[in-house]
Amino acid sequence: MNNSIAHKSIIRWGIIGCGNVTEVKSGPAYQKTTGFELLAVMRRDRAKAQDYAQRHSVPKFYSDALSLINDPEVDAVYIATPPDSHKEYALMVAAANKPCCIEKPLAPSHADCCTIVAAFAEKELPLFVAYYRRSLPRFKKVQQLIESGAIGEVRHISWQLQKAINAWDKSGEYNWRTDKVIARGGYFDDLASHGLDLFAFYFGDYETVNGLATNQQGLYSAFDAVSANWMFKNGITGSGFWNFGCSENTDCAEIFGSQGKIIFSVFDEKPIRIVSVDKEEIIQIENPHHVQIPHVENLRHALLYNGIHPSTGTSSLQSSWAMEEILK
């Protein structure tokens, strides 16, 4: 790995795309993590970039991505734009020989994901993806329960995610998340990747994946109903369905084992439940206010101390491949 910044005591970050996800979830994490500094932000709308910089006390702002990337004071770049622009910006960062973290999904297609990963691998540059659940304490607890044999041998995982129709969809106003040109799977692209990546974190590589997808409502161009079955290389099976036109909201993942099951939510902050034949245990672990802080702290560990980060460009290829197989 290229350790050109390993000697630094402070790594100065630049953010491309300072939109909603960076307001609370991620942006402040780069400011609050010891050893990191948020030096610059970029947004194509210069006034919005300046507003973000002023509100968050960021020294520099840009309206051009390349100017931020090539700023000699910026050591590393976090790309937080919609997925259709990730490849373009990522290749610029690789060309500038700087480490990078990219919002999920890494890119809209598996082929583009592979191109990005290859570009950073060629230069031995660190590449991370913001699948921050791999670092969150509540999901690490689920991992610990699995590995400790709390439910015996794991047999199957299932995930049900359904959402009621929201006002934005009913209005007919443009939303890039439901534009099939940008996100063919609609909300599935935006949300399901979190769970599918998390399951690969728990159980390893996917072996086979099959799916069905359709548009039931006709409110937008992307798919709004998706279902899938899969098997991991270790023989554990899985299933899921995602529907964004239901009467109620449901987020329930269940890991079935030979001696019980673990029930948890991928997005909702509900308690983790461990159910066996003779008992039930409930564990409540709250997420931090800035939910990406554990993820960003692991970035520091990886960049400054040559540690291993749980979410890299290479690890993200599993979920991108699985999602593409589902949408076939």
Side-chain angles (χ1 to χ4, degrees), residues 229-266:
N229 294 287
W230 61 83
M231 184 168 66
F232 298 96
K233 289 185 177 181
N234 59 14
I236 295 171
T237 58
S239 61
F241 77 86
W242 306 264
N243 194 293
F244 303 97
C246 292
S247 60
E248 61 182 12
N249 296 333
T250 302
D251 175 13
C252 181
E254 295 182 275
I255 302 172
F256 297 88
S258 60
Q259 298 174 25
K261 64 179 179 178
I262 301 169
I263 305 169
F264 64 100
S265 297
V266 175

PDB file of all heavy atoms in Angstrom, residues 229-266:
ATOM      1  N   ASN A 229     -33.101 -14.358  -3.926  1.00  0.00           N
ATOM      2  CA  ASN A 229     -32.572 -15.496  -3.178  1.00  0.00           C
ATOM      3  C   ASN A 229     -31.088 -15.599  -3.478  1.00  0.00           C
ATOM      4  O   ASN A 229     -30.654 -15.275  -4.578  1.00  0.00           O
ATOM      5  CB  ASN A 229     -33.263 -16.799  -3.594  1.00  0.00           C
ATOM      6  CG  ASN A 229     -34.722 -16.811  -3.227  1.00  0.00           C
ATOM      7  OD1 ASN A 229     -35.079 -16.943  -2.065  1.00  0.00           O
ATOM      8  ND2 ASN A 229     -35.585 -16.661  -4.231  1.00  0.00           N
ATOM      9  N   TRP A 230     -30.330 -16.063  -2.503  1.00  0.00           N
ATOM     10  CA  TRP A 230     -28.889 -16.192  -2.734  1.00  0.00           C
ATOM     11  C   TRP A 230     -28.296 -17.280  -1.844  1.00  0.00           C
ATOM     12  O   TRP A 230     -28.936 -17.769  -0.906  1.00  0.00           O
ATOM     13  CB  TRP A 230     -28.175 -14.860  -2.488  1.00  0.00           C
ATOM     14  CG  TRP A 230     -28.307 -14.337  -1.089  1.00  0.00           C
ATOM     15  CD1 TRP A 230     -27.570 -14.672   0.003  1.00  0.00           C
ATOM     16  CD2 TRP A 230     -29.264 -13.358  -0.640  1.00  0.00           C
ATOM     17  NE1 TRP A 230     -27.977 -13.972   1.112  1.00  0.00           N
ATOM     18  CE2 TRP A 230     -29.022 -13.156   0.743  1.00  0.00           C
ATOM     19  CE3 TRP A 230     -30.273 -12.624  -1.266  1.00  0.00           C
ATOM     20  CZ2 TRP A 230     -29.769 -12.265   1.498  1.00  0.00           C
ATOM     21  CZ3 TRP A 230     -31.014 -11.744  -0.513  1.00  0.00           C
ATOM     22  CH2 TRP A 230     -30.765 -11.564   0.862  1.00  0.00           C
ATOM     23  N   MET A 231     -27.045 -17.629  -2.150  1.00  0.00           N
ATOM     24  CA  MET A 231     -26.284 -18.553  -1.311  1.00  0.00           C
ATOM     25  C   MET A 231     -24.855 -18.053  -1.220  1.00  0.00           C
ATOM     26  O   MET A 231     -24.274 -17.616  -2.219  1.00  0.00           O
ATOM     27  CB  MET A 231     -26.309 -19.973  -1.882  1.00  0.00           C
ATOM     28  CG  MET A 231     -25.606 -21.000  -0.977  1.00  0.00           C
ATOM     29  SD  MET A 231     -25.914 -22.712  -1.467  1.00  0.00           S
ATOM     30  CE  MET A 231     -25.072 -22.753  -3.048  1.00  0.00           C
ATOM     31  N   PHE A 232     -24.304 -18.087  -0.018  1.00  0.00           N
ATOM     32  CA  PHE A 232     -22.916 -17.725   0.190  1.00  0.00           C
ATOM     33  C   PHE A 232     -22.030 -18.934  -0.120  1.00  0.00           C
ATOM     34  O   PHE A 232     -22.499 -20.071  -0.165  1.00  0.00           O
ATOM     35  CB  PHE A 232     -22.690 -17.265   1.632  1.00  0.00           C
ATOM     36  CG  PHE A 232     -23.471 -16.047   2.010  1.00  0.00           C
ATOM     37  CD1 PHE A 232     -24.696 -16.164   2.667  1.00  0.00           C
ATOM     38  CD2 PHE A 232     -23.006 -14.786   1.704  1.00  0.00           C
ATOM     39  CE1 PHE A 232     -25.425 -15.047   3.021  1.00  0.00           C
ATOM     40  CE2 PHE A 232     -23.730 -13.640   2.041  1.00  0.00           C
ATOM     41  CZ  PHE A 232     -24.950 -13.780   2.710  1.00  0.00           C
ATOM     42  N   LYS A 233     -20.743 -18.675  -0.309  1.00  0.00           N
ATOM     43  CA  LYS A 233     -19.830 -19.758  -0.653  1.00  0.00           C
ATOM     44  C   LYS A 233     -19.696 -20.800   0.450  1.00  0.00           C
ATOM     45  O   LYS A 233     -19.295 -21.936   0.192  1.00  0.00           O
ATOM     46  CB  LYS A 233     -18.455 -19.182  -1.027  1.00  0.00           C
ATOM     47  CG  LYS A 233     -18.459 -18.457  -2.369  1.00  0.00           C
ATOM     48  CD  LYS A 233     -17.081 -17.997  -2.779  1.00  0.00           C
ATOM     49  CE  LYS A 233     -17.114 -17.349  -4.163  1.00  0.00           C
ATOM     50  NZ  LYS A 233     -15.775 -16.898  -4.607  1.00  0.00           N
ATOM     51  N   ASN A 234     -20.063 -20.426   1.669  1.00  0.00           N
ATOM     52  CA  ASN A 234     -19.998 -21.378   2.782  1.00  0.00           C
ATOM     53  C   ASN A 234     -21.274 -22.207   2.915  1.00  0.00           C
ATOM     54  O   ASN A 234     -21.405 -23.003   3.849  1.00  0.00           O
ATOM     55  CB  ASN A 234     -19.700 -20.654   4.095  1.00  0.00           C
ATOM     56  CG  ASN A 234     -20.742 -19.596   4.428  1.00  0.00           C
ATOM     57  OD1 ASN A 234     -21.822 -19.547   3.844  1.00  0.00           O
ATOM     58  ND2 ASN A 234     -20.407 -18.734   5.369  1.00  0.00           N
ATOM     59  N   GLY A 235     -22.234 -22.009   1.986  1.00  0.00           N
ATOM     60  CA  GLY A 235     -23.452 -22.805   1.991  1.00  0.00           C
ATOM     61  C   GLY A 235     -24.633 -22.185   2.711  1.00  0.00           C
ATOM     62  O   GLY A 235     -25.758 -22.699   2.620  1.00  0.00           O
ATOM     63  N   ILE A 236     -24.437 -21.100   3.434  1.00  0.00           N
ATOM     64  CA  ILE A 236     -25.545 -20.406   4.087  1.00  0.00           C
ATOM     65  C   ILE A 236     -26.417 -19.764   3.009  1.00  0.00           C
ATOM     66  O   ILE A 236     -25.908 -19.163   2.060  1.00  0.00           O
ATOM     67  CB  ILE A 236     -25.023 -19.334   5.065  1.00  0.00           C
ATOM     68  CG1 ILE A 236     -24.268 -19.998   6.221  1.00  0.00           C
ATOM     69  CG2 ILE A 236     -26.162 -18.470   5.604  1.00  0.00           C
ATOM     70  CD1 ILE A 236     -23.536 -19.025   7.123  1.00  0.00           C
ATOM     71  N   THR A 237     -27.731 -19.909   3.148  1.00  0.00           N
ATOM     72  CA  THR A 237     -28.653 -19.353   2.157  1.00  0.00           C
ATOM     73  C   THR A 237     -29.250 -18.041   2.658  1.00  0.00           C
ATOM     74  O   THR A 237     -29.180 -17.711   3.845  1.00  0.00           O
ATOM     75  CB  THR A 237     -29.788 -20.345   1.835  1.00  0.00           C
ATOM     76  OG1 THR A 237     -30.475 -20.667   3.061  1.00  0.00           O
ATOM     77  CG2 THR A 237     -29.236 -21.621   1.208  1.00  0.00           C
ATOM     78  N   GLY A 238     -29.852 -17.286   1.727  1.00  0.00           N
ATOM     79  CA  GLY A 238     -30.461 -16.012   2.079  1.00  0.00           C
ATOM     80  C   GLY A 238     -31.605 -15.657   1.171  1.00  0.00           C
ATOM     81  O   GLY A 238     -31.734 -16.182   0.052  1.00  0.00           O
ATOM     82  N   SER A 239     -32.467 -14.778   1.654  1.00  0.00           N
ATOM     83  CA  SER A 239     -33.584 -14.289   0.849  1.00  0.00           C
ATOM     84  C   SER A 239     -33.952 -12.885   1.298  1.00  0.00           C
ATOM     85  O   SER A 239     -33.680 -12.498   2.440  1.00  0.00           O
ATOM     86  CB  SER A 239     -34.802 -15.215   0.981  1.00  0.00           C
ATOM     87  OG  SER A 239     -35.238 -15.276   2.326  1.00  0.00           O
ATOM     88  N   GLY A 240     -34.565 -12.126   0.409  1.00  0.00           N
ATOM     89  CA  GLY A 240     -34.965 -10.776   0.761  1.00  0.00           C
ATOM     90  C   GLY A 240     -36.017 -10.236  -0.165  1.00  0.00           C
ATOM     91  O   GLY A 240     -36.140 -10.690  -1.311  1.00  0.00           O
ATOM     92  N   PHE A 241     -36.799  -9.290   0.340  1.00  0.00           N
ATOM     93  CA  PHE A 241     -37.664  -8.544  -0.566  1.00  0.00           C
ATOM     94  C   PHE A 241     -37.752  -7.098  -0.099  1.00  0.00           C
ATOM     95  O   PHE A 241     -37.718  -6.794   1.086  1.00  0.00           O
ATOM     96  CB  PHE A 241     -39.038  -9.212  -0.740  1.00  0.00           C
ATOM     97  CG  PHE A 241     -40.010  -9.015   0.389  1.00  0.00           C
ATOM     98  CD1 PHE A 241     -40.831  -7.887   0.435  1.00  0.00           C
ATOM     99  CD2 PHE A 241     -40.136  -9.970   1.381  1.00  0.00           C
ATOM    100  CE1 PHE A 241     -41.757  -7.726   1.447  1.00  0.00           C
ATOM    101  CE2 PHE A 241     -41.061  -9.820   2.403  1.00  0.00           C
ATOM    102  CZ  PHE A 241     -41.878  -8.682   2.440  1.00  0.00           C
ATOM    103  N   TRP A 242     -37.818  -6.238  -1.093  1.00  0.00           N
ATOM    104  CA  TRP A 242     -37.806  -4.803  -0.887  1.00  0.00           C
ATOM    105  C   TRP A 242     -38.948  -4.206  -1.705  1.00  0.00           C
ATOM    106  O   TRP A 242     -38.986  -4.347  -2.931  1.00  0.00           O
ATOM    107  CB  TRP A 242     -36.480  -4.207  -1.357  1.00  0.00           C
ATOM    108  CG  TRP A 242     -35.282  -4.863  -0.729  1.00  0.00           C
ATOM    109  CD1 TRP A 242     -34.596  -4.436   0.373  1.00  0.00           C
ATOM    110  CD2 TRP A 242     -34.616  -6.073  -1.163  1.00  0.00           C
ATOM    111  NE1 TRP A 242     -33.556  -5.296   0.646  1.00  0.00           N
ATOM    112  CE2 TRP A 242     -33.545  -6.308  -0.271  1.00  0.00           C
ATOM    113  CE3 TRP A 242     -34.825  -6.962  -2.213  1.00  0.00           C
ATOM    114  CZ2 TRP A 242     -32.689  -7.396  -0.398  1.00  0.00           C
ATOM    115  CZ3 TRP A 242     -33.979  -8.052  -2.342  1.00  0.00           C
ATOM    116  CH2 TRP A 242     -32.927  -8.262  -1.443  1.00  0.00           C
ATOM    117  N   ASN A 243     -39.895  -3.553  -1.044  1.00  0.00           N
ATOM    118  CA  ASN A 243     -41.034  -2.972  -1.745  1.00  0.00           C
ATOM    119  C   ASN A 243     -41.280  -1.569  -1.218  1.00  0.00           C
ATOM    120  O   ASN A 243     -41.319  -1.350   0.000  1.00  0.00           O
ATOM    121  CB  ASN A 243     -42.276  -3.846  -1.556  1.00  0.00           C
ATOM    122  CG  ASN A 243     -43.378  -3.477  -2.529  1.00  0.00           C
ATOM    123  OD1 ASN A 243     -43.941  -2.393  -2.453  1.00  0.00           O
ATOM    124  ND2 ASN A 243     -43.678  -4.383  -3.446  1.00  0.00           N
ATOM    125  N   PHE A 244     -41.472  -0.622  -2.136  1.00  0.00           N
ATOM    126  CA  PHE A 244     -41.576   0.783  -1.757  1.00  0.00           C
ATOM    127  C   PHE A 244     -42.939   1.374  -2.099  1.00  0.00           C
ATOM    128  O   PHE A 244     -43.067   2.556  -2.397  1.00  0.00           O
ATOM    129  CB  PHE A 244     -40.426   1.559  -2.399  1.00  0.00           C
ATOM    130  CG  PHE A 244     -39.088   1.007  -2.014  1.00  0.00           C
ATOM    131  CD1 PHE A 244     -38.412   0.116  -2.840  1.00  0.00           C
ATOM    132  CD2 PHE A 244     -38.533   1.319  -0.785  1.00  0.00           C
ATOM    133  CE1 PHE A 244     -37.197  -0.436  -2.461  1.00  0.00           C
ATOM    134  CE2 PHE A 244     -37.313   0.774  -0.393  1.00  0.00           C
ATOM    135  CZ  PHE A 244     -36.653  -0.102  -1.231  1.00  0.00           C
ATOM    136  N   GLY A 245     -43.964   0.505  -2.017  1.00  0.00           N
ATOM    137  CA  GLY A 245     -45.335   0.961  -2.234  1.00  0.00           C
ATOM    138  C   GLY A 245     -46.308   0.279  -1.306  1.00  0.00           C
ATOM    139  O   GLY A 245     -47.450   0.005  -1.672  1.00  0.00           O
ATOM    140  N   CYS A 246     -45.867  -0.014  -0.080  1.00  0.00           N
ATOM    141  CA  CYS A 246     -46.706  -0.736   0.878  1.00  0.00           C
ATOM    142  C   CYS A 246     -47.432   0.226   1.822  1.00  0.00           C
ATOM    143  O   CYS A 246     -47.200   1.437   1.812  1.00  0.00           O
ATOM    144  CB  CYS A 246     -45.866  -1.727   1.669  1.00  0.00           C
ATOM    145  SG  CYS A 246     -45.226  -3.096   0.669  1.00  0.00           S
ATOM    146  N   SER A 247     -48.294  -0.350   2.666  1.00  0.00           N
ATOM    147  CA  SER A 247     -49.104   0.470   3.572  1.00  0.00           C
ATOM    148  C   SER A 247     -48.360   0.835   4.850  1.00  0.00           C
ATOM    149  O   SER A 247     -48.796   1.722   5.590  1.00  0.00           O
ATOM    150  CB  SER A 247     -50.390  -0.276   3.936  1.00  0.00           C
ATOM    151  OG  SER A 247     -50.081  -1.509   4.580  1.00  0.00           O
ATOM    152  N   GLU A 248     -47.257   0.147   5.131  1.00  0.00           N
ATOM    153  CA  GLU A 248     -46.528   0.399   6.363  1.00  0.00           C
ATOM    154  C   GLU A 248     -45.031   0.196   6.149  1.00  0.00           C
ATOM    155  O   GLU A 248     -44.613  -0.370   5.139  1.00  0.00           O
ATOM    156  CB  GLU A 248     -47.013  -0.538   7.464  1.00  0.00           C
ATOM    157  CG  GLU A 248     -46.810  -2.014   7.148  1.00  0.00           C
ATOM    158  CD  GLU A 248     -47.355  -2.919   8.232  1.00  0.00           C
ATOM    159  OE1 GLU A 248     -48.081  -2.430   9.117  1.00  0.00           O
ATOM    160  OE2 GLU A 248     -47.046  -4.126   8.197  1.00  0.00           O
ATOM    161  N   ASN A 249     -44.257   0.667   7.106  1.00  0.00           N
ATOM    162  CA  ASN A 249     -42.808   0.518   7.050  1.00  0.00           C
ATOM    163  C   ASN A 249     -42.364  -0.683   7.885  1.00  0.00           C
ATOM    164  O   ASN A 249     -42.773  -0.826   9.039  1.00  0.00           O
ATOM    165  CB  ASN A 249     -42.115   1.780   7.576  1.00  0.00           C
ATOM    166  CG  ASN A 249     -42.395   2.992   6.709  1.00  0.00           C
ATOM    167  OD1 ASN A 249     -42.651   2.865   5.519  1.00  0.00           O
ATOM    168  ND2 ASN A 249     -42.351   4.172   7.311  1.00  0.00           N
ATOM    169  N   THR A 250     -41.553  -1.534   7.296  1.00  0.00           N
ATOM    170  CA  THR A 250     -41.020  -2.707   7.990  1.00  0.00           C
ATOM    171  C   THR A 250     -39.557  -2.871   7.637  1.00  0.00           C
ATOM    172  O   THR A 250     -39.178  -2.732   6.477  1.00  0.00           O
ATOM    173  CB  THR A 250     -41.771  -3.992   7.588  1.00  0.00           C
ATOM    174  OG1 THR A 250     -43.157  -3.843   7.881  1.00  0.00           O
ATOM    175  CG2 THR A 250     -41.220  -5.203   8.338  1.00  0.00           C
ATOM    176  N   ASP A 251     -38.738  -3.145   8.633  1.00  0.00           N
ATOM    177  CA  ASP A 251     -37.301  -3.404   8.435  1.00  0.00           C
ATOM    178  C   ASP A 251     -36.906  -4.513   9.393  1.00  0.00           C
ATOM    179  O   ASP A 251     -36.662  -4.268  10.572  1.00  0.00           O
ATOM    180  CB  ASP A 251     -36.499  -2.130   8.697  1.00  0.00           C
ATOM    181  CG  ASP A 251     -34.994  -2.343   8.636  1.00  0.00           C
ATOM    182  OD1 ASP A 251     -34.555  -3.404   8.162  1.00  0.00           O
ATOM    183  OD2 ASP A 251     -34.255  -1.436   9.073  1.00  0.00           O
ATOM    184  N   CYS A 252     -36.869  -5.740   8.899  1.00  0.00           N
ATOM    185  CA  CYS A 252     -36.620  -6.883   9.774  1.00  0.00           C
ATOM    186  C   CYS A 252     -35.668  -7.873   9.117  1.00  0.00           C
ATOM    187  O   CYS A 252     -35.976  -8.435   8.062  1.00  0.00           O
ATOM    188  CB  CYS A 252     -37.924  -7.585  10.124  1.00  0.00           C
ATOM    189  SG  CYS A 252     -37.722  -9.010  11.222  1.00  0.00           S
ATOM    190  N   ALA A 253     -34.507  -8.059   9.722  1.00  0.00           N
ATOM    191  CA  ALA A 253     -33.555  -9.075   9.279  1.00  0.00           C
ATOM    192  C   ALA A 253     -33.519 -10.180  10.328  1.00  0.00           C
ATOM    193  O   ALA A 253     -33.486  -9.904  11.533  1.00  0.00           O
ATOM    194  CB  ALA A 253     -32.168  -8.471   9.110  1.00  0.00           C
ATOM    195  N   GLU A 254     -33.549 -11.430   9.876  1.00  0.00           N
ATOM    196  CA  GLU A 254     -33.528 -12.579  10.771  1.00  0.00           C
ATOM    197  C   GLU A 254     -32.443 -13.552  10.347  1.00  0.00           C
ATOM    198  O   GLU A 254     -32.396 -13.966   9.190  1.00  0.00           O
ATOM    199  CB  GLU A 254     -34.875 -13.298  10.778  1.00  0.00           C
ATOM    200  CG  GLU A 254     -36.018 -12.477  11.353  1.00  0.00           C
ATOM    201  CD  GLU A 254     -37.317 -13.255  11.380  1.00  0.00           C
ATOM    202  OE1 GLU A 254     -38.014 -13.251  10.348  1.00  0.00           O
ATOM    203  OE2 GLU A 254     -37.630 -13.876  12.414  1.00  0.00           O
ATOM    204  N   ILE A 255     -31.581 -13.884  11.284  1.00  0.00           N
ATOM    205  CA  ILE A 255     -30.546 -14.888  11.048  1.00  0.00           C
ATOM    206  C   ILE A 255     -30.976 -16.159  11.779  1.00  0.00           C
ATOM    207  O   ILE A 255     -31.090 -16.174  13.005  1.00  0.00           O
ATOM    208  CB  ILE A 255     -29.178 -14.418  11.566  1.00  0.00           C
ATOM    209  CG1 ILE A 255     -28.767 -13.105  10.889  1.00  0.00           C
ATOM    210  CG2 ILE A 255     -28.116 -15.489  11.320  1.00  0.00           C
ATOM    211  CD1 ILE A 255     -27.516 -12.479  11.477  1.00  0.00           C
ATOM    212  N   PHE A 256     -31.234 -17.210  11.025  1.00  0.00           N
ATOM    213  CA  PHE A 256     -31.715 -18.466  11.583  1.00  0.00           C
ATOM    214  C   PHE A 256     -30.544 -19.422  11.801  1.00  0.00           C
ATOM    215  O   PHE A 256     -29.733 -19.640  10.902  1.00  0.00           O
ATOM    216  CB  PHE A 256     -32.734 -19.113  10.643  1.00  0.00           C
ATOM    217  CG  PHE A 256     -33.973 -18.287  10.434  1.00  0.00           C
ATOM    218  CD1 PHE A 256     -34.025 -17.332   9.422  1.00  0.00           C
ATOM    219  CD2 PHE A 256     -35.086 -18.455  11.251  1.00  0.00           C
ATOM    220  CE1 PHE A 256     -35.163 -16.561   9.222  1.00  0.00           C
ATOM    221  CE2 PHE A 256     -36.232 -17.690  11.057  1.00  0.00           C
ATOM    222  CZ  PHE A 256     -36.269 -16.738  10.049  1.00  0.00           C
ATOM    223  N   GLY A 257     -30.470 -19.991  13.000  1.00  0.00           N
ATOM    224  CA  GLY A 257     -29.413 -20.931  13.318  1.00  0.00           C
ATOM    225  C   GLY A 257     -29.965 -22.265  13.785  1.00  0.00           C
ATOM    226  O   GLY A 257     -31.176 -22.440  13.934  1.00  0.00           O
ATOM    227  N   SER A 258     -29.076 -23.207  14.061  1.00  0.00           N
ATOM    228  CA  SER A 258     -29.491 -24.536  14.499  1.00  0.00           C
ATOM    229  C   SER A 258     -30.047 -24.531  15.921  1.00  0.00           C
ATOM    230  O   SER A 258     -30.725 -25.476  16.331  1.00  0.00           O
ATOM    231  CB  SER A 258     -28.302 -25.504  14.416  1.00  0.00           C
ATOM    232  OG  SER A 258     -27.239 -25.050  15.254  1.00  0.00           O
ATOM    233  N   GLN A 259     -29.792 -23.425  16.675  1.00  0.00           N
ATOM    234  CA  GLN A 259     -30.260 -23.367  18.064  1.00  0.00           C
ATOM    235  C   GLN A 259     -30.999 -22.076  18.399  1.00  0.00           C
ATOM    236  O   GLN A 259     -31.184 -21.745  19.566  1.00  0.00           O
ATOM    237  CB  GLN A 259     -29.064 -23.534  19.006  1.00  0.00           C
ATOM    238  CG  GLN A 259     -28.341 -24.868  18.862  1.00  0.00           C
ATOM    239  CD  GLN A 259     -27.080 -24.948  19.706  1.00  0.00           C
ATOM    240  OE1 GLN A 259     -26.955 -24.265  20.717  1.00  0.00           O
ATOM    241  NE2 GLN A 259     -26.137 -25.775  19.279  1.00  0.00           N
ATOM    242  N   GLY A 260     -31.442 -21.348  17.388  1.00  0.00           N
ATOM    243  CA  GLY A 260     -32.176 -20.119  17.656  1.00  0.00           C
ATOM    244  C   GLY A 260     -32.059 -19.151  16.505  1.00  0.00           C
ATOM    245  O   GLY A 260     -31.633 -19.510  15.394  1.00  0.00           O
ATOM    246  N   LYS A 261     -32.408 -17.901  16.744  1.00  0.00           N
ATOM    247  CA  LYS A 261     -32.305 -16.893  15.697  1.00  0.00           C
ATOM    248  C   LYS A 261     -32.002 -15.524  16.301  1.00  0.00           C
ATOM    249  O   LYS A 261     -32.281 -15.264  17.476  1.00  0.00           O
ATOM    250  CB  LYS A 261     -33.581 -16.829  14.870  1.00  0.00           C
ATOM    251  CG  LYS A 261     -34.843 -16.397  15.623  1.00  0.00           C
ATOM    252  CD  LYS A 261     -36.046 -16.363  14.672  1.00  0.00           C
ATOM    253  CE  LYS A 261     -37.322 -15.965  15.408  1.00  0.00           C
ATOM    254  NZ  LYS A 261     -38.483 -15.898  14.475  1.00  0.00           N
ATOM    255  N   ILE A 262     -31.414 -14.669  15.471  1.00  0.00           N
ATOM    256  CA  ILE A 262     -31.116 -13.286  15.829  1.00  0.00           C
ATOM    257  C   ILE A 262     -31.991 -12.394  14.955  1.00  0.00           C
ATOM    258  O   ILE A 262     -32.025 -12.556  13.734  1.00  0.00           O
ATOM    259  CB  ILE A 262     -29.639 -12.933  15.610  1.00  0.00           C
ATOM    260  CG1 ILE A 262     -28.736 -13.851  16.429  1.00  0.00           C
ATOM    261  CG2 ILE A 262     -29.371 -11.468  15.957  1.00  0.00           C
ATOM    262  CD1 ILE A 262     -27.260 -13.737  16.058  1.00  0.00           C
ATOM    263  N   ILE A 263     -32.691 -11.461  15.568  1.00  0.00           N
ATOM    264  CA  ILE A 263     -33.573 -10.543  14.837  1.00  0.00           C
ATOM    265  C   ILE A 263     -33.052  -9.119  15.055  1.00  0.00           C
ATOM    266  O   ILE A 263     -32.813  -8.703  16.196  1.00  0.00           O
ATOM    267  CB  ILE A 263     -35.022 -10.651  15.336  1.00  0.00           C
ATOM    268  CG1 ILE A 263     -35.511 -12.110  15.245  1.00  0.00           C
ATOM    269  CG2 ILE A 263     -35.942  -9.737  14.532  1.00  0.00           C
ATOM    270  CD1 ILE A 263     -36.824 -12.360  15.965  1.00  0.00           C
ATOM    271  N   PHE A 264     -32.881  -8.382  13.975  1.00  0.00           N
ATOM    272  CA  PHE A 264     -32.401  -7.006  14.081  1.00  0.00           C
ATOM    273  C   PHE A 264     -32.884  -6.202  12.878  1.00  0.00           C
ATOM    274  O   PHE A 264     -33.437  -6.756  11.928  1.00  0.00           O
ATOM    275  CB  PHE A 264     -30.874  -6.957  14.186  1.00  0.00           C
ATOM    276  CG  PHE A 264     -30.146  -7.470  12.969  1.00  0.00           C
ATOM    277  CD1 PHE A 264     -29.617  -6.584  12.032  1.00  0.00           C
ATOM    278  CD2 PHE A 264     -29.981  -8.833  12.749  1.00  0.00           C
ATOM    279  CE1 PHE A 264     -28.940  -7.055  10.904  1.00  0.00           C
ATOM    280  CE2 PHE A 264     -29.295  -9.316  11.636  1.00  0.00           C
ATOM    281  CZ  PHE A 264     -28.789  -8.420  10.715  1.00  0.00           C
ATOM    282  N   SER A 265     -32.675  -4.905  12.913  1.00  0.00           N
ATOM    283  CA  SER A 265     -33.036  -4.016  11.810  1.00  0.00           C
ATOM    284  C   SER A 265     -31.779  -3.440  11.187  1.00  0.00           C
ATOM    285  O   SER A 265     -30.815  -3.138  11.889  1.00  0.00           O
ATOM    286  CB  SER A 265     -33.936  -2.874  12.297  1.00  0.00           C
ATOM    287  OG  SER A 265     -35.153  -3.381  12.802  1.00  0.00           O
ATOM    288  N   VAL A 266     -31.808  -3.273   9.884  1.00  0.00           N
ATOM    289  CA  VAL A 266     -30.664  -2.690   9.179  1.00  0.00           C
ATOM    290  C   VAL A 266     -30.669  -1.168   9.325  1.00  0.00           C
ATOM    291  O   VAL A 266     -29.618  -0.542   9.480  1.00  0.00           O
ATOM    292  CB  VAL A 266     -30.673  -3.096   7.694  1.00  0.00           C
ATOM    293  CG1 VAL A 266     -29.548  -2.399   6.925  1.00  0.00           C
ATOM    294  CG2 VAL A 266     -30.532  -4.618   7.564  1.00  0.00           C
TER     295      VAL A 266
END
